[in-house]
Structures are given as structure tokens and as C-alpha cells.
Amino acid sequence: MKKIAVIGAGTMGNGIAHTFAQFGFKVNLIDISKENLQNGIDTIGKNLDRMVAKEKISAEDKKATLKNITTHIDIPSGVKNVGLVIEAATENVKLKLQVFKQLDTNCSNDTILATNTSSISITQIAAEVSNPERVIGMHFMNPVPVMKLVEIIRGYSTSDKVTKTIMDLSEKLEKVPVEVNDYPGFVANRILMPMINEAIETLYTGVAGVYEIDTVMKLGMAHLMGPLQLADFIGLDVCHSILEVMYNGFKNPKYAPNPLLTNMVRAGKLGIKSGEGFYDYSESRKAEKVSAQFSK
């Protein structure tokens, strides 16, 4: 398996494409938007430049990595003759189901179909294809080229052969694959999102401010980022979506998104991607300035 396709040129998609291309795989990067594709390639180039500056790779390595990536604006051409497709589109159930219906039509029967979903049921997605045993979850962490973990999620029908193939493949990328079963939130987000939601609840009820909450968790619990900073980094809309998936899946109120989180998403305060969340990123992408809404 030396040729793969990645669907979606956003943050996760371009990171996955970058990682595979850096390890010598031929990658078809697919997105319906030419602008998104160009932005994705530009991001990969900038990230490679940083690696060159840090002497982690050579300038020749950068050139080889970029040469391994080909862009496509449609699924049929992008998935032709590939051994693996990784879907990294927006975390939207309807969209992902539509994508997998297209993959079932356009891919050969032995192509492994993976999704980078962080919370949506692999079993539900696999129900859209004629042979669901080839569908699996590959939940990479952001930023993909840096983070070692890959959460490998088995759907109800995922075969042992497909699971082993993807576990072995992840190790070839110098990642650490961890196999988990298909339940809402899997492991990473089932534990992480309630913590973020509780941090927002702590802010919402006036127990402490943004800076104070994050400082307690960084210095007291040795977290690299405070939970509110991390929520901004992930995207508050993404956090909200994952919590809703877990709430709908478990019917347990502890997973319900906090009202403050809901209102911030409705107001378009999504974190780094929108320039403001719990912190203000108008001058820096670092969480150095608390948003005016929470600094009173």
C-alpha cells in the first residue's frame, strides 16, 4: 500500500497528507474547493519549512514530500487505484455518510476505507458501504505531523485483517496506534470533552476566570494547555459537535454541551479559527490575552 487518498484539505486532512507523503507514500489530496486545496498545500509547505529550520528534515526531504502529493477536486479521480482512503471532511454526520456512499461506488472492493472522525460511529458510517468489514476509524491527533497517537476504532463489522493492516501502517508512520471499540467519543474524546465541558461550567458559574482555570490545570495537573485554551485550539464548534454526539449516543445529561459553549458557537466565537474564543487571537495565535467578554 504505497498510494493513498485523503478527503478534505483542512487542518486534519493536510496534516494527514503531509505525514504520509513525508514517509514516501503517494498521496491524492481531495477537496471540492481549489482554494482549500491550495491553502492545504501552502500549509504543508510552511510546516515543512519549520521542520527544515529545526533540522528535523532536509530541504531535499521537503521537495520530495511535496512531490508525493497530487491534488484532485473530485472523489472518482482521487480514489482511483489507491489502497487506502482516509476521510477527513468536516465533522458532520450527513456529509460523512454521503462521502462513504461515493466511496462505495468509486473504490475497488479491496480498498480500505478509513475515517478520521473524532466521535461519530464507525458502525453507522460503515452501514453506507456494501462490505462494511473494510471500514475503520483512524483518529489522528492535531497537529498530525507532531502528535504520536492514532486512535484506531473498530466498527461492529471491521475485520481483523483490516485492523492489523491499519495498526501496522500507523507504525510505519512512526505513530503509536491504540485499538479501541466503537462507542460515542471513543476513548480520547469521551474523557477529554467532559473535562473541557466542566471547565466551561466552572467559568459559567463564576467559580474562577479563564486564566485562573487554565493555570490551575497547567501547573497543578501538568497539562501542556489549559482546557479552555485547548478548546479554542480544537475549535469550539468541534467541541460542541462532539459533545452532542456523545449526549445523543448515551442519553446522559453529563455530556450535554454547557449553555455558554452553545451561545459562543452561535455567536461565531469559535477559538483560534475565528480569532476569538475564550482568548483573543487578534494579535497573536498564542493564548496570551483573555477575551474581553471574560476579562471584566
Side-chain angles (χ1 to χ4, degrees), residues 12-230:
M12 297 305 296
N14 69 59
I16 294 168
H18 169 166
T19 301
F20 273 92
Q22 187 179 329
F23 280 85
F25 291 84
K26 299 297 183 182
V27 180
N28 291 346
L29 182 60
I30 307 167
D31 200 293
I32 59 173
S33 166
K34 289 184 179 180
E35 181 181 0
N36 287 350
L37 284 169
Q38 188 58 55
N39 289 340
I41 294 296
D42 289 346
T43 297
I44 293 170
K46 290 175 184 176
N47 290 335
L48 288 168
D49 283 338
R50 278 193 283 269
M51 296 178 77
V52 172
K54 294 179 180 178
E55 298 184 347
K56 292 185 176 181
I57 62 171
S58 68
E60 289 302 315
D61 292 332
K62 175 192 170 181
K63 290 180 182 178
T65 298
L66 290 172
K67 190 175 180 180
N68 282 335
I69 303 173
T70 305
T71 59
H72 296 260
I73 58 170
D74 64 273
I75 286 177
S77 67
V79 301
K80 188 176 181 181
N81 299 323
V82 302
L84 168 68
V85 179
I86 304 175
E87 172 273 316
T90 305
E91 193 75 349
N92 177 287
V93 175
K94 289 183 180 179
L95 175 60
K96 290 185 185 294
L97 298 184
Q98 290 171 1
V99 168
F100 272 79
K101 284 181 180 178
Q102 292 184 65
L103 294 178
D104 192 41
T105 301
N106 291 284
C107 294
S108 65
N109 288 331
D110 58 353
T111 301
I112 296 175
L113 307 179
T115 173
N116 184 58
T117 182
S118 56
S119 61
I120 298 169
S121 169
I122 307 304
T123 303
Q124 181 182 8
I125 292 172
E128 300 299 321
V129 307
S130 53
N131 44 346
E133 66 275 2
R134 63 174 169 156
V135 178
I136 194 166
M138 286 187 82
H139 180 204
F140 289 86
M141 304 294 123
N142 185 27
V144 180
V146 176
M147 300 293 280
K148 289 293 186 182
L149 175 67
V150 184
E151 203 174 23
I152 307 297
I153 307 104
R154 293 186 64 141
Y156 188 84
S157 301
T158 306
S159 71
D160 291 340
K161 180 180 178 181
V162 165
T163 302
K164 185 178 187 309
T165 297
I166 295 302
M167 294 285 283
D168 292 345
L169 182 63
S170 299
E171 290 179 350
K172 290 178 181 177
L173 302 175
E174 297 183 4
K175 302 296 187 187
V176 179
V178 178
E179 181 183 337
V180 305
N181 290 318
D182 184 24
Y183 291 94
F186 316 134
V187 171
N189 282 319
R190 184 165 179 179
I191 295 169
L192 175 62
M193 286 302 152
M195 183 191 73
I196 286 175
N197 207 35
E198 193 63 29
I200 298 170
E201 173 75 13
T202 305
L203 175 66
Y204 178 65
T205 55
V207 176
V210 170
Y211 172 79
E212 289 75 15
I213 292 167
D214 277 355
T215 300
V216 167
M217 296 305 292
K218 286 190 287 186
L219 300 185
M221 311 304 164
H223 290 195
L224 294 177
M225 287 187 187
L228 300 177
Q229 179 187 358
L230 181 56

